[in-house]
Amino acid sequence: MDLELPVDGFWIDIDTFDRFNIFSLNKTTFADLPKAIENIHYNNYHLIPIVDIAFPRNKSDPYYIKGHKENAFVISNYTKKEMVIIVWPGDCVLPDFHSESGINLWIYGLKEYKKIIDYDGIWFDMKL
């Protein structure tokens, strides 16, 4: 049965991330994704990946290291420490979008992610 449904883009979910860490790629399961995206673009379609809001609180994560150093995360008024939430990667911190450093970290992450996969927009997930 030919339904002739129009399609102009594809969305990908968090399964493509390495251990659910934002701005990363699981190179074991999705090693061919960059090539698949080339084919998607060649056929005039768009790719929209999901991006969660939280960075894993992990001292080996490059975004956590950069954000922690630049005070880019939301600080608890009570503890005066980075506010921690638990989402897909485990303990995570949130960018402070009311600070220049939080905004700059987010822009940096988006630019770095664009080098990994050639996306056309962002499906912003986990709005708090």
Side-chain angles (χ1 to χ4, degrees):
M1 172 157 88
D2 187 4
L3 298 177
E4 297 186 30
L5 297 172
V7 174
D8 60 5
F10 298 90
W11 288 258
I12 56 176
D13 210 333
I14 62 173
D15 304 294
T16 60
F17 291 146
D18 181 26
R19 294 166 297 173
F20 302 118
N21 296 336
I22 64 171
F23 304 135
S24 69
L25 177 64
N26 180 331
K27 293 178 182 168
T28 301
T29 310
F30 292 96
D32 295 334
L33 184 59
K35 183 67 175 165
I37 295 169
E38 285 180 27
N39 290 331
I40 287 170
H41 287 145
Y42 177 80
N43 288 294
N44 296 315
Y45 296 113
H46 302 284
L47 179 86
I48 312 295
I50 197 167
V51 175
D52 291 339
I53 192 172
F55 292 91
R57 189 177 70 163
N58 180 329
K59 292 184 178 168
S60 66
D61 181 87
Y63 298 103
Y64 178 74
I65 294 166
K66 181 174 178 53
H68 180 74
K69 186 181 190 183
E70 297 173 3
N71 297 313
F73 302 121
V74 173
I75 303 296
S76 166
N77 286 332
Y78 178 71
T79 66
K80 306 300 183 207
K81 295 180 182 178
E82 294 168 347
M83 189 173 295
V84 177
I85 65 169
I86 299 173
V87 290
W88 298 107
D91 286 354
C92 292
V93 290
L94 302 168
D96 182 354
F97 289 116
H98 295 284
S99 72
E100 188 174 337
S101 59
I103 293 168
N104 288 339
L105 178 63
W106 195 256
I107 291 169
Y108 173 77
L110 288 171
K111 287 179 179 179
E112 291 299 304
Y113 191 43
K114 182 83 168 164
K115 294 176 187 176
I116 298 170
I117 67 165
D118 187 15
Y119 62 85
D120 299 297
I122 292 293
W123 169 16
F124 192 62
D125 192 29
M126 302 189 85
K127 180 180 167 193
L128 299 176

